[in-house]
């Protein structure tokens, strides 16, 4: 059975949500982006406008007005029912807090058409922890993007034991159509492939700095020189934005995670240093 995906809704217009919406619209899909209020939508429009310059300069085909047309064509709304009313696929990119996601899916399941596929972009939570709240576990799975989707273009696809294989394949095909490289995960794994490798690196870097062993700049320099990587853990954290790693840490109950979460909060988040998006994180931009 062929599943046709044409209309896509993105829930959450933060750093990654806005990128997912833009990348999807850029490749010809009809896109609606949802967030909770007018203030969030104003910030969303600003993010989309900034992405125009990025796509114009960095993405093949982004010139001659296409990037501008892409941004203008994305509909913004704070009405969940309106956002989902005709969607073939809903991609959820809201804060990495399980209860918020579960509550959102309960509401979403009541207003979206029965045919609509739900996909969570959760970076660490398992889709099986959410599926029973969707009202359609057979049409639910994880679709995980990396930050700067136009450049780091992996799309990790991971279902649960209940996910319909046709739904899974439809999302794999969709990922290819929006310029991503589908990475098929054969069974549930917290962190998928990318974050299973990345999160331990980021935590190790934060441990070195939080415990006073080395400054963030020294940690990054060591990693870059020693491995040839283009960026170290703290530059990567600034790109991601510090709110997401904080939420991941604070939801882990072990002592080390709580200590790192508190260090991030007191030294950076409480001071408005959230990464590139705010002009300063571990580095100034």
């Amino acid at each position: 059975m062929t599943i046709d995906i044409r209309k896509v809704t993105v829930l959450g217009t933060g750093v990654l949500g806005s990128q997912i919406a833009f990348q999807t619209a850029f490749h010809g899909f009809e896109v609606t982006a949802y967030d909770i209020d007018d203030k969030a939508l104003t910030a969303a429009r600003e993010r989309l406008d900034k992405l125009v310059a990025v796509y114009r300069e960095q993405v093949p085909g982004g010139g001659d007005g296409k990037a501008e047309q892409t941004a203008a064509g994305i509909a913004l709304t704070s009405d969940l029912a309106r956002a989902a009313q005709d969607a073939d696929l809903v991609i959820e990119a809201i804060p990495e807090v399980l209860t918020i996601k579960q509550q959102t899916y309960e509401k979403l399941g009541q207003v979206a058409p029965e045919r609509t596929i739900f996909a969570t972009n959760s970076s660490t939570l398992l889709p099986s922890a959410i599926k029973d709240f969707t009202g359609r576990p057979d049409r639910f799975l994880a679709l995980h993007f990396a930050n700067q989707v136009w450049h780091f273009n992996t799309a990790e696809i991971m279902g649960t034991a209940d996910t319909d294989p046709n739904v899974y394949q439809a999302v794999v095909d969709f990922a290819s159509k929006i310029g991503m490289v589908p990475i098929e995960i054969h069974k549930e794994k917290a962190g998928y492939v990318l974050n299973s490798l990345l999160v331990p690196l980021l935590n190790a870097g934060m441990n070195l700095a939080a415990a006073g062993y080395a400054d963030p700049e020294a940690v990054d320099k060591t990693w870059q020189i020693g491995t040839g990587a283009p960026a170290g853990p703290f530059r990567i954290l600034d790109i991601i934005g510090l709110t997401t790693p904080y939420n991941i840490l604070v939801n882990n109950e072990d002592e080390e995670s709580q200590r790192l979460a508190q260090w991030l909060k007191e030294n950076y988040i409480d001071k408005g240093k959230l990464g590139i998006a705010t002009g300063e994180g571990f580095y100034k931009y």
Side-chain angles (χ1 to χ4, degrees), residues 238-281:
D238 275 356
I239 292 169
I240 294 169
L242 273 57
T243 303
T244 294
Y246 171 78
N247 284 335
I248 293 170
L249 287 165
V250 83
N251 284 317
N252 289 335
E253 296 181 357
D254 63 281
E255 185 177 332
E256 179 181 288
S257 294
Q258 294 301 312
R259 179 173 57 82
L260 289 179
Q262 191 64 24
W263 175 76
L264 263 185
K265 184 176 186 298
E266 291 179 357
N267 292 282
Y268 297 94
I269 293 174
D270 285 351
K271 297 178 180 179
K273 300 178 181 180
L274 306 182
I276 288 177
T278 57
E280 185 175 1

Side-chain angles (χ1 to χ4, degrees), residues 1-251:
M1 183 183 83
T2 302
I3 297 174
D4 191 19
I5 296 174
R6 295 183 182 181
K7 297 182 178 181
V8 178
T9 294
V10 178
L11 302 189
T13 59
V15 172
L16 200 48
S18 58
Q19 291 179 18
I20 295 167
F22 201 103
Q23 179 77 3
T24 303
F26 186 79
H27 284 85
F29 289 81
E30 186 177 328
V31 176
T32 298
Y34 162 88
D35 220 313
I36 56 174
D37 55 31
D38 289 342
K39 181 180 179 181
L41 294 181
T42 298
R45 182 53 68 188
E46 291 174 358
R47 290 190 187 96
L48 293 173
D49 289 342
K50 288 179 181 178
L51 286 171
V52 169
V54 172
Y55 275 69
R56 191 171 54 225
E57 296 166 10
Q58 299 183 27
V59 180
D64 297 326
K66 184 174 180 182
E68 288 83 354
Q69 292 169 7
T70 296
I74 298 172
L76 296 175
T77 182
S78 58
D79 184 330
L80 184 62
R82 182 179 175 187
Q85 66 183 0
D86 200 25
D88 300 310
L89 171 66
V90 174
I91 302 171
E92 167 266 307
I94 65 176
E96 192 73 350
V97 179
L98 181 58
T99 53
I100 294 176
K101 289 185 186 289
Q102 290 171 338
Q103 291 165 6
T104 299
Y105 276 107
E106 283 186 322
K107 296 174 184 175
L108 180 64
Q110 295 171 6
V111 297
E114 289 184 12
R115 73 173 194 283
T116 307
I117 297 169
F118 295 167
T120 179
N121 180 59
S122 174
S123 53
T124 57
L125 300 170
L126 292 175
S128 59
I130 303 170
K131 67 178 183 179
D132 291 339
F133 294 82
T134 67
R136 60 192 73 197
D138 60 323
R139 302 184 75 76
F140 172 70
L141 74 175
L143 173 61
H144 181 247
F145 296 81
N147 196 24
Q148 297 186 4
V149 300
W150 63 92
H151 181 52
F152 303 113
N153 62 328
T154 57
E156 297 176 286
I157 297 129
M158 181 170 71
T160 73
D162 293 326
T163 305
D164 183 332
N166 289 320
V167 168
Y168 185 97
Q169 188 58 50
V171 174
V172 170
D173 295 342
F174 164 77
S176 294
K177 289 175 182 175
I178 63 167
M180 310 305 290
V181 178
I183 307 297
E184 297 188 38
I185 314 298
H186 301 307
K187 57 183 180 179
E188 283 191 293
K189 171 72 174 74
Y192 313 77
V193 174
L194 179 59
N195 282 327
S196 292
L197 297 167
L198 182 60
V199 170
L201 169 67
L202 301 181
N203 288 350
M206 285 189 284
N207 261 315
L208 288 168
Y213 294 110
D215 294 334
E217 294 87 347
V219 174
D220 279 2
K221 186 185 298 182
T222 303
W223 184 253
Q224 289 176 263
I225 294 172
T227 67
F234 291 100
R235 186 73 70 178
I236 294 170
L237 283 162
D238 275 356
I239 292 169
I240 294 169
L242 273 57
T243 303
T244 294
Y246 171 78
N247 284 335
I248 293 170
L249 287 165
V250 83
N251 284 317

